Amino acid sequence: MLKKVEARSVDAVVIGAGITGMYQTYVLREMGFSVQGYDGSSNVGGTWYWNRYPGCRLDTESYAYGYFGLKGIMPEWTWTERFASQPTMLRYCNYAADKMDIRKDYQFNTRVSRAHFNESTDMWDLGLDDGSEVSCRYLISAVGPLSATRMPNIAGIEDFKGESFHTSRWPRDPSDPNGAQQIDFSNKRVGVIGTGATGVQVIPIVAKSAKELVVFQRSPNWCTPLGNTPITEDEMVKLRSEYEKILAFVSSTPTGFPYERNMKKGSQTTPEERQELFESLYDMPGYGIWLSGYRDLLTSKASNNYLAEFIANKIRQRVKDPATAEKLIPKDHPFGTKRVPMETYYYEVYNQPNVKLVDVRETPITRVTPTGLQVGDKTYDLDVIVYATGFDAVTGSLDLIDIRGRGGEPLKQTWDDGPLTYLGLQVRKFPNFFTLVGPHNGATFCNVGVCGGLQVEWVSRMLGYMRDHKLVYSEPLEEAQDKWTQQVYEDFSKTLLTEADAWWVKVKNHPDGTQTRRAMVHVAGGPEYRKFCEDIASRDYEGFVLR
Ligand SMILES: Cc1cc2nc3c(=O)[nH]c(=O)nc-3n(C[C@H](O)[C@H](O)[C@H](O)COP(=O)(O)OP(=O)(O)OC[C@H]3O[C@@H](n4cnc5c(N)ncnc54)[C@H](O)[C@@H]3O)c2cc1C
C-alpha cells in the first residue's frame, strides 16, 4: 500500500532565483525564518540565466544596478564595463549566490504550478511540477516582470524546417551550463522578428556576420546610443569608495538611475538651448537622454515633440536611405513612452548591403512556411528565425500559476480587468501573498537592481514586525486596495505613457470592440513610493488586516 507523504511545511516559499528572489530568500533566512526557494531554471540568475542571445546586456549602469556590491555583500566585485554583458551578469548572480550561500535553499528545475490558500490552516498549499507538495505561511513571488516569453501568433510556426528560437530561450552550450551556443551566421539567411529592446541588441551582432539579415518590424522604437565603455581598475577603486553615496543617490532619483534631473520645462527654453542640451545628452551614456532631459518630457506633448524631432533627425542622419530612415522613426508613440532601447550601431546596420528592413505593420506576416516567412504575396527564404518578440510582462509569469485565494478565487479572475493591489505588494483575498517587482509597485518602473532590493527589505521588515507581534496573517483592506489602485491609475493617466502600447499597459480587447487599458506600473517615482510604504509601516502597517 502507498504511504501518504505529508507535504513539507516552511515559513516562506520564494518563487524565483533571480536577483530579487535570491536576496529575499537570503534576508528571510538570516532573520531566522525557514525558507524554501524554487526556480524552473537549473541555477540562479533569472533574467541573466535565461537571456543568452548575442548582444544581451544591461542598459543600467552596472555599478548602479549591482545592489549586492552597493550593499556590501560582495564589495570586492569588479565591473569591467559600464553596461555589463549577460555573461558578466550571470557570473555576478552566481558570485552573489556563493556569497549568500543561497543554492542550498533552492530546489532548481522545479516550477510552482499551483498555490491555493487553505482557509482552515491559513497556509498556502503549493503544487510543484515534479508532483510534490509544500505548504507555507508566506508565499513570496519573485517571478520577474519580464520572464514569461511571448511568441507571436503566426500560423505555421511549427512547420519551419530551419533553426528558430526565442531570444530568451537561446540554445545552450552543452559543455558549459552557463554558456550559450555560438551560432555561425556567416552562411545563413537570418530573419529577426521584433525591434524592441532585445531586437535592437541582437540585430547589430547578427548583421556583422550573416549572409543576409531580414528585420521584420511592426513598430519602430525611439532608440538612443548606449555609449558603453570599459571601467578601468582606477575607476573601480573610486566607485568602491563611493558605494554608500551612490546607493543614496540612486535611491533618491525617481527611477533609481544615477542621473541628475533637469528641473526645467522644455517650454521654458529656446531652440538653441534645447539643441545644445539634446546634443550633450545624446552623447551621454545610458538613459541620460530619457531621464535628464526636461522634466515635462512625459507630461507635455510639446516638450516631448522637441526631443522626438531631435532623435528623428539623428535617425535621418545615420540611415543613408531616406525611405528606410522614415520607416525607423516612430509615428505612433511619443519619445520615452515605451522603454527606450539602448543601441550600439543599430541604425548603421541598415546601411549594410546584407540587411533589409521589412515593415510588417501595413502588411503583417501571413505565415511561417517550412522555408521562411510569407508577408502578403512576398516570401522570404530563411535558414534561421529569431523571435525577438518579448514577454507577457509583469503579470505573465503569475498567470501561468494556478493561484487561488480565499473562497477559491483565481488571481487571474481577480485581475481580469487589470491588477488590484495595495502598494503593489498584496492583494485582497490573497492573504500572506507578496508580489515583489509586480504590478503597481515602485520597483517595476525602476532600476530593478536597486528598487527590487529595497522592496525585499521592506517586505522582510513587515514579516519581522508580524513575528515580533505574534501575527501570522496579513491582507489588505478593500478601501486601502481601491485607493492605491486608483492612485496608480490616476498618476499614470497624467502622463503621455497612456499613448503607447508599452509593456507597462495591460490592454484588454472586449467582444464589442471596446478596449480597457490599465496601468501595470506605479509611475509616481521610487522615493515617493518608498516614503508612502515607510509611512504605512510607521503606522503599524495601516491598510492591512493583521492578525
Ligand atoms: C534582456 C533583459 C535586459 C534587462 N535589462 C535591465 C536593465 O538594464 N535594468 C533593469 O533595471 N532591468 C532590466 N531588465 C529587467 C530584469 O528583468 C530585472 O532587472 C531583474 O533581472 C528582475 O529580477 P527578478 O529576480 O525580479 O526576476 P527574474 O530575473 O525574471 O527571475 C524570475 C525567476 O523566476 C522564475 N520563475 C517564474 N515563474 C516560476 C514558477 N512558476 N516556478 C518556479 N520558478 C519560476 C524564472 O524561471 C526566473 O528565473 C532586463 C530584462 C531583460 C529580459
Side-chain angles (χ1 to χ4, degrees), residues 157-165 369-372 382-385:
I157 282 186
E158 302 302 326
D159 300 340
F160 185 60
K161 295 274 186 277
E163 290 176 282
S164 65
F165 15 81
T369 69
T371 54
L382 301 167
D383 304 303
V384 181
I385 300 178

Side-chain angles (χ1 to χ4, degrees), residues 16 18-20 39-40 46-47 50 58-60 65 111-112 142-144 448:
I19 49 170
T20 312
D39 201 303
T47 290
W50 289 109
L58 272 177
D59 51 24
T60 308
Y65 181 91
R111 289 188 59 80
V112 174
V143 295
V448 181

Side-chain angles (χ1 to χ4, degrees), residues 25-70:
T25 301
Y26 167 71
V27 175
L28 288 183
R29 187 192 71 199
E30 295 301 292
M31 289 170 74
F33 287 100
S34 59
V35 197
Q36 177 64 56
Y38 295 100
D39 201 303
S41 60
S42 65
N43 207 334
V44 298
T47 290
W48 308 109
Y49 169 95
W50 289 109
N51 291 273
R52 300 185 192 199
Y53 59 85
C56 180
R57 64 173 64 246
L58 272 177
D59 51 24
T60 308
E61 309 257 353
S62 314
Y63 66 89
Y65 181 91
Y67 193 60
F68 302 131
L70 298 176

